[in-house]
Amino acid sequence: MHIILMAGGMGTRFWPRSRKNSPKQLLNLVGDKTMIRMTYERVKGLTDDKNILIITNQELKEAIHQQIPEIPLKNIIAEPFGKNTAPCIGLAAAIVRKRASMEEPMVILPADHLIKEVDIFQDIIRTGVEYARQNDALITLGITPAYPETGYGYIQRGEAVATLNNRTVYKVKTFAEKPNLEAAQLFLQSGDFLWNSGMFIWKVGTIWKEFVTHQPEMAEGFEEIYQSIDSNRFEETVLDVYMRVKSISIDYAIMEVAQSVYIIEADFKWNDVGSWEAAYAISEKDEQQNAITAQNQVVIDSKNNLIYAPKKLVALIDVENLAVVETEDAILICKKDSSQRVKEVIDDLKQRNLEEYL
């Protein structure tokens, strides 16, 4: 199999730690290793290093290579600019088609998720690859929901179509956008809805045919890229195609309109670590449920706070549910449950041309 790690995002919700040259996937949000290094170590053993591709941007290419020197530099592919996941996946499919064949299984994974139960994860990936080899199927992994989360999309599973390695493959019934709390509670009660993980498995030829059917203009561009691979026209062709193709997710472009879409329930512990609140949820905490990254902090009558300030002393008195994040040039203080709004800070900085803080 070929494994594709999507590592082009900027991780703006982790500002001020996350910046253009050090986005979320290059941060050690959990433990000592960066998110992308943890992702690589999770897939290691599923396939040879030469069959792992990382799709990123030009600014991050060298930093990623330093993080994962095991991956050949030619396998770290720079997009000229981000156009969401559909063009990223089409670019990867063209490369795998050239280096392998239309029958090669592709495993598409975000580079910045947290999954601790590696054995279960690898078992599910192998199951999905086995089903994809035998069928023209678009397979997604659905996470067993632990609570009525309103920040994730959901997928409703339909009838069971196969059992492989003691795991069931289901037909996808419908996709659901991020729900309100009442809808999320109904999803959880039904037992049929799973969190949309953004992880996919299929053969190159299967996804290629779906692009031709549902996104023919994009498919023409991917064909141009395929023809240019291993020539001196490759980077120029990718740039030209990316200038023309629309920015769209693989869910909207293909998954929600295709017919042969299936889901495997992933029962490992998973977190997309999408905000400082999510980082707090998976961090070690003291008796007052404070997650503190350094020992020299002063916390008085305060609880349920996140403090990231490795170089400065922070003193909290009689406060709750805050995220306090300090870097050399910026400090973020917000309610933990408002940490999704950090993107608004980025928008404000851009409007005021304060590029040095991005």
Side-chain angles (χ1 to χ4, degrees), residues 125-307:
I125 294 296
R126 291 190 178 98
T127 299
V129 167
E130 183 178 344
Y131 189 78
R133 284 187 188 278
Q134 300 169 6
N135 301 274
D136 282 335
L138 303 175
I139 302 166
T140 185
L141 303 189
I143 307 297
T144 308
Y147 53 91
E149 172 63 57
T150 59
Y152 298 149
Y154 286 72
I155 303 173
Q156 185 180 20
R157 64 187 181 194
E159 63 178 325
V161 297
T163 301
L164 296 169
N165 306 324
N166 295 317
R167 296 191 176 276
T168 304
V169 181
Y170 298 91
K171 194 84 169 65
V172 166
K173 193 170 184 178
T174 187
F175 287 80
E177 297 299 316
K178 297 175 182 178
N180 59 32
L181 181 59
E182 183 179 4
Q185 290 170 336
L186 291 174
F187 288 171
L188 193 64
Q189 291 168 11
S190 77
D192 292 335
F193 284 84
L194 305 172
W195 288 339
N196 187 344
S197 72
M199 294 183 274
F200 309 99
I201 304 170
W202 45 58
K203 291 195 295 282
V204 175
T206 302
I207 192 64
W208 203 272
K209 285 187 290 187
E210 297 292 350
F211 272 117
V212 169
T213 300
H214 300 290
Q215 301 291 337
E217 291 183 3
M218 296 182 78
E220 289 177 7
F222 301 150
E223 183 67 34
E224 292 174 33
I225 291 173
Y226 168 74
Q227 296 295 339
S228 75
I229 295 172
D230 296 332
S231 77
N232 55 13
R233 298 181 294 106
F234 175 68
E235 290 187 4
E236 178 184 346
T237 303
V238 173
L239 175 59
D240 180 56
V241 169
Y242 266 64
M243 293 284 285
R244 299 184 337 244
V245 299
K246 56 189 170 184
S247 177
I248 187 171
S249 71
I250 195 68
D251 282 339
Y252 285 140
I254 301 296
M255 300 299 286
E256 294 187 15
V257 293
Q259 297 299 310
S260 300
V261 184
Y262 301 87
I263 191 165
I264 299 174
E265 184 168 359
D267 52 357
F268 45 70
K269 292 182 177 64
W270 169 89
N271 194 310
D272 77 342
V273 200
S275 67
W276 284 116
E277 184 178 27
Y280 168 83
I282 57 178
S283 298
E284 293 186 8
K285 303 172 185 66
D286 64 17
E287 292 179 356
Q288 300 303 312
Q289 295 301 297
N290 295 300
I292 302 173
T293 57
Q295 298 300 313
N296 61 340
Q297 312 300 354
V298 178
V299 180
I300 299 172
D301 293 332
S302 299
K303 60 184 180 181
N304 301 322
N305 299 293
L306 167 72
I307 306 175

